[in-house]
Structures are given as structure tokens and as C-alpha cells.
Amino acid sequence: FWRSSVDVNYVITIKVPDGYRAAAPFTYRYEVKWIDHSGFSITVSYRDFVEFVRYEAIIIYDSSNVKVINTSGVGVVIYTSDVPDSFAEKIAEVLEKGRNIMLSYLGPSPLAPRCVVVSGPSHHKIYPRGHMHSIGGSTLYVKLWDSRNIDYPWYVKNLLHEIAHGWYVYPLIYGDFDLNEGGAEFCSWYFGRILYPELYNAYEKSNVQSRIKSKEQYAMAAIKHLALNYFIQKLSTRLGYNLTIFNLT
């Protein structure tokens, strides 16, 4: 079945019942199927099928209980009605700013995220409150810990980490925890300080320091990236030309 010589296409058809909508913010070389489709079909090549079904998201939602924000770029935030509008707007802002700055620094990626699904604390029982993750493709997921008392700096910082997985992720870089998680964590520090300096000074600086002191796993992996880039930057200065995109002064 999985012979590479087979030249076939797969047709994936999504149909949803009345009152529901489907959103498919594809990144993997396919046309984006945006919001308010009651259903659609998409043809996927044999070559792409495994990567497509593993890393792309198709979101089915109850249109009476879900809201949508389209950013001015290519991003979209889909969120349940118990999520405050102000929080969803901040998520949309971070998605657009974070995605754009990483595109400008790291270059284009077929897996750069363009969608965030945000749910209130009572949804999706399989995930704990405060959960956040990326599947390394088009869509990120955020579950609020509390809809009333929201720790904005924590969500901003961790969303930048998940956005960075559009570059530091298995389909693009075959690496271990230190490479992929360390790279994403380092990016959340570096780009967070550029995009939200007030957040870094008020929160993230002390947060990073305490995590380094306790030798927390993600922080230790990020330190390896910081040290490597610092060495490359010093080498660049000695050689007289730049070998790194990061300025660690």
C-alpha cells in the first residue's frame, strides 16, 4: 500500500451537520479552506498524504457556541464563547506578530502556524486546564486555566514557544528534545523580548532566571541554543562577517 512508486491521489471529504462549520487552515502546500464552510473536499497527493494527515488540522465546531477572529494577515483564532473577547484578541495579535517576526528571521516554513484554537477550562476533558500545544503544523491549541483571572504574560510567552514549532519541529528538523524544544524555547525568549519588552522586564526575566536556577528541562535546552548562538556571534565578529541571525548583545 505504501509503495513510493504508486502515483495516486487521495480525496478527503469533510461534511458537517446543520449548525456546525468546518475550518481547515492548511499549511502544507494546499489551498487554505477558511471559515464558514459547511463542508468541502480536498485532493492530497500520495507523496504528501502521511505528512498531511499527521500535521494538518481540520476543525469542526458548533457555530452557536464559537467565535472567530481573522487577523489582518493570514491568521485566524477560533474560540469558545466562554473565552473573553479581549483574550482572544490578544492571542490573535501574538499569532500575527510572532509568525511575522519568525518568518522574517527564520525564513519561510511550510508548517508556519496560522490558526489558534482557544477553549475555556470546561472543554476538551482530555486536556488539563492551562494546556497548550502544537502539532507542528497549521494549528495551535490553548485551553484556559481560568476564564476570569488570566495570566496574560504566561500565555503570550508560551504561545510564542508554540509558534516557533512551525520551524523547530520533526518534519523540518530531525532532532531530539534539546533541538526542537530548546529551539522553540529560545525563540520565545528572544522574540518575546523584541515584541513585548514590557512583558520580559516585568515577568519573563525573573521567570527565566528561576527556571535556569532550578535546571528546568526546557530552560536548560534553550541555554544550549543561546550558548551556541553566542559562540557563533563571537566567531562572526572575529571573521568579519555574520554567521547567525540572532543578536545576543
Side-chain angles (χ1 to χ4, degrees):
F1 180 72
W2 290 111
R3 290 178 299 168
S4 59
S5 60
V6 177
D7 185 17
V8 297
N9 290 326
Y10 298 93
V11 177
I12 301 173
T13 300
I14 304 298
K15 295 181 179 179
V16 297
D18 292 343
Y20 286 77
R21 291 290 180 266
F26 300 140
T27 61
Y28 205 80
R29 296 196 294 276
Y30 288 91
E31 176 189 356
V32 175
K33 301 292 185 180
W34 278 128
I35 309 306
D36 290 332
H37 287 273
S38 57
F40 53 81
S41 294
I42 186 166
T43 301
V44 182
S45 72
Y46 174 90
R47 180 171 61 92
D48 290 343
F49 183 75
V50 174
E51 297 297 320
F52 186 92
V53 298
R54 182 178 297 167
Y55 295 107
E56 296 297 355
I58 297 172
I59 304 148
I60 311 296
Y61 61 92
D62 177 356
S63 56
S64 67
N65 193 40
V66 169
K67 300 178 181 180
V68 175
I69 296 175
N70 285 291
T71 71
S72 58
V74 295
V76 62
V77 175
I78 301 171
Y79 62 106
T80 55
S81 57
D82 55 345
V83 172
D85 292 337
S86 58
F87 179 72
E89 290 164 1
K90 174 59 73 173
I91 292 295
E93 174 195 296
V94 177
L95 172 63
E96 184 164 16
K97 286 185 175 181
R99 188 178 189 276
N100 287 343
I101 197 170
M102 291 182 203
L103 283 169
S104 67
Y105 272 74
L106 304 176
S109 167
L111 298 178
R114 64 176 77 204
C115 177
V116 182
V117 174
V118 187
S119 75
S122 64
H123 298 274
H124 306 130
K125 300 296 184 180
I126 61 172
Y127 297 123
R129 293 189 304 164
H131 178 79
M132 188 180 298
H133 76 261
S134 163
I135 58 172
S138 60
T139 303
L140 313 177
Y141 176 79
V142 177
K143 181 174 180 177
L144 279 176
W145 177 267
D146 189 324
S147 297
R148 292 167 295 182
N149 299 307
I150 298 176
D151 185 355
Y152 276 83
W154 186 89
Y155 286 101
V156 169
K157 181 266 166 198
N158 283 286
L159 184 58
L160 289 171
H161 173 108
E162 300 302 341
I163 292 170
H165 276 309
W167 288 262
Y168 290 91
V169 66
Y170 171 77
L172 299 180
I173 303 176
Y174 186 81
D176 58 8
F177 180 94
D178 284 352
L179 180 59
N180 287 332
E181 293 297 342
E185 185 67 8
F186 172 71
C187 284
S188 75
W189 297 356
Y190 188 84
F191 297 120
R193 190 170 69 164
I194 295 173
L195 295 175
Y196 298 98
E198 73 288 351
L199 178 154
Y200 182 84
N201 291 328
Y203 169 84
E204 188 59 20
K205 186 176 180 180
S206 61
N207 175 269
V208 169
Q209 289 172 341
S210 66
R211 290 167 62 209
I212 292 173
K213 186 176 181 179
S214 65
K215 297 185 178 181
E216 187 265 342
Q217 187 180 18
Y218 286 83
M220 290 295 97
I223 284 291
K224 295 176 182 179
H225 285 260
L226 190 153
L228 177 61
N229 279 284
Y230 183 77
F231 171 79
I232 294 173
Q233 184 172 305
K234 291 299 182 183
L235 182 63
S236 298
T237 301
R238 175 165 295 207
L239 294 177
Y241 53 87
N242 193 23
L243 299 172
T244 179
I245 59 174
F246 297 108
N247 181 2
L248 300 178
T249 56

